[in-house]
Amino acid sequence: ALGKGLITINSLAEAPNGNVWVGTSSLGIRVLGANGTLVPLQGLPQQGTARVARVGALLLVSSPAGFALHGPDGAQVEALPG
């Protein structure tokens, strides 16, 4: 569901809506729904290294582009300097 071939997962975070956000070393952030299918969300890193952590009801995403807080629906709430 995440992609083809070997994928290195470097972080996992469960969103308040039950989706699991997956940070990878090469595919950016992927989001898995409760049924295990890929949930397409706009505005998330789709390539390169990215990590994710839950902060309250939000998800903190770090990537080479910097840091950003996202809501469970993927919408960026705030970009953070970094």
Side-chain angles (χ1 to χ4, degrees):
L2 290 176
K4 296 180 180 179
L6 183 63
I7 299 164
T8 300
I9 295 172
N10 55 36
S11 58
L12 295 169
E14 184 178 2
N17 62 6
N19 289 346
V20 176
W21 289 42
V22 181
T24 72
S25 63
S26 60
L27 296 175
I29 299 291
R30 296 293 189 254
V31 180
L32 298 176
N35 62 0
T37 61
L38 197 60
V39 177
L41 296 179
Q42 299 295 318
L44 298 176
Q46 296 297 308
Q47 61 186 12
T49 298
R51 290 179 171 78
V52 62
R54 184 166 166 183
V55 180
L58 300 175
L59 294 123
L60 176 65
V61 172
S62 68
S63 72
F67 298 90
L69 286 169
H70 292 265
D73 62 353
Q76 182 173 313
V77 175
E78 182 178 357
L80 305 169

